[in-house]
Amino acid sequence: MTSKARIGVIGAGWWAVVNHIPVLKSLPDCEVVAVNRLGAEELAAVKERFAIPASFENFRQMLDDVPMDGVVVSSPHVAHFEHASAALEKGCHVLVEKPLTTSAADARALVALAKERGRQIVVPYGWNFRPFTAEARRLAAGVGRIEHIVLQMANALDDLFAGEPMKETEGAMFRPPASTWADPRRAGGFGWGQLVHALGLMFRVADLEPAEVFAMTGASKAGVDYYDAAAVRFAGGATGSVSGAATLPKGRPVQIDLRIFGSEGMLVLDIERERVELRRRDGRDEVVPLSPGDGAYECQSPLRVFVDICNGKPVANPADGIVGARAVEVLDAMYRSAASRRPEAV
């Protein structure tokens, strides 16, 4: 293992240049050794801005030509499986943007490949890396046998899922393309694009496996889902209600509200109001003390954990491939159910 983790980036678009590459460049124990994206002019601009030694439009050539310990995959949703699997085949750890893949079969295949190659998958679900999530996971044992879950998420991205420029990205080097976020043929929509965050958080807190989903969606003018309403049956019999909305007014904080009901009590994790509380039937309640800002989305820690993994350090991974795959399993079945108008097995 080299003294610095050698990291490559596949898909250097909006979020990679706003967050991933700058964060990686700020870490003293890694180096960004190669970058990939389509468009020769855009690729050259990224290479120059961040002083990256090698750049490629062909991601397979990058994997063949440049020795790397880890690869960040931040390409369009529908390309995640191809890019991540190719990196794993080369022996790299992978950080794969959400969603991990756009089909349950591909997600499970990616998890299996990582296990076979002895590599790790990190999915940068930012809230999974916050201390309150570890506390919620600990407290979840206090609800006893999980019987029902309510999960709700909303944010202010109606422009993005309508195929319009996202207001918050004005002036950015690149802007999120409608072809990724607002095309129903390319896994556009609120579920793949945002609800996946809440599902990743839920599956970190609660060790459940989805089994069946019945869903309805409401569409934006671009034809992708603005609104998601899903009933979920988990292995073991627990039920769940999952809801998503893209049309929160601009400037309002993201809403994620997770409530887990069990045989001994219930747990609430509320991102908007920054609270984590266990309420037990025997009265032994517990409230996690949180300060203003504790519920903020974490953009740097996933990359810090990823670099530690690439450097061979024993570090906890709160957003591994299994968590990522379970979120994909729910969404895959949700979209199939919305189309078929009947329950769909995971």
Side-chain angles (χ1 to χ4, degrees), residues 1-255:
M1 181 66 66
T2 60
S3 58
K4 290 187 176 184
R6 300 163 298 179
I7 307 295
V9 177
I10 295 178
W14 163 63
W15 190 235
V17 301
V18 166
N19 185 76
H20 294 337
I21 297 175
V23 171
L24 289 169
K25 295 283 288 185
S26 74
L27 299 176
D29 53 350
C30 84
E31 53 184 338
V32 181
V33 295
V35 64
N36 152 267
R37 68 157 290 138
L38 299 178
E41 184 176 338
E42 295 85 351
L43 178 62
V46 174
K47 183 179 189 292
E48 180 180 359
R49 173 175 289 194
F50 296 104
I52 299 172
S55 60
F56 303 83
E57 283 195 87
N58 185 317
F59 76 93
R60 293 192 185 277
Q61 184 183 356
M62 183 181 89
L63 292 170
D64 286 342
D65 291 359
V66 182
M68 290 175 287
D69 305 300
V71 171
V72 171
V73 176
S74 53
S75 50
H77 303 157
V78 293
H80 287 180
F81 175 72
E82 179 184 19
H83 293 159
S85 58
L88 286 168
E89 291 282 7
K90 286 292 184 179
C92 298
H93 299 286
V94 292
L95 181 144
V96 187
E97 261 302 339
K98 308 149 302 278
L100 177 61
T101 65
T102 55
S103 83
D106 283 349
R108 290 189 285 261
L110 213 55
V111 170
L113 178 59
K115 182 178 180 180
E116 174 191 321
R117 295 304 173 109
R119 303 291 90 180
Q120 286 202 50
I121 297 170
V122 177
V123 185
Y125 294 118
W127 285 293
N128 287 36
F129 293 80
R130 302 293 294 187
F132 68 78
T133 301
E135 287 293 281
R137 179 178 168 87
R138 176 182 66 81
L139 292 180
V143 308
R145 183 184 67 256
I146 295 176
E147 298 173 340
H148 184 67
I149 284 185
V150 177
L151 177 68
Q152 185 265 339
M153 179 178 186
N155 60 16
L157 291 175
D158 52 321
D159 47 8
L160 183 64
F161 297 112
E164 300 169 354
M166 180 179 163
K167 181 180 178 180
E168 294 84 351
T169 65
E170 290 178 0
M173 185 176 184
F174 306 118
R175 302 188 76 175
S179 58
T180 296
W181 300 94
D183 187 340
R185 299 162 299 180
R186 291 174 56 82
F190 188 81
W192 289 124
Q194 293 298 305
L195 188 56
V196 66
H197 285 276
L199 290 165
L201 176 63
M202 180 182 76
F203 285 119
R204 175 59 179 168
V205 174
D207 186 14
L208 293 171
E209 296 180 33
E212 185 180 37
V213 180
F214 177 65
M216 294 180 286
T217 60
S220 75
K221 67 180 183 181
V224 298
D225 50 307
Y226 256 170
Y227 306 108
D228 303 307
V232 182
R233 176 77 69 179
F234 297 95
T239 52
S241 173
V242 177
S243 171
T247 57
L248 194 68
K250 289 289 187 182
R252 305 298 175 90
V254 175
Q255 298 174 357

Side-chain angles (χ1 to χ4, degrees), residues 19-20 23 95 122-127 129 297-309 317-319:
N19 185 76
H20 294 337
V23 171
L95 181 144
V122 177
V123 185
Y125 294 118
W127 285 293
F129 293 80
Y297 190 74
E298 175 58 70
C299 297
Q300 298 187 8
S301 291
L303 292 154
R304 171 72 272 166
V305 167
F306 182 59
V307 168
D308 284 346
I309 289 170
N317 179 1

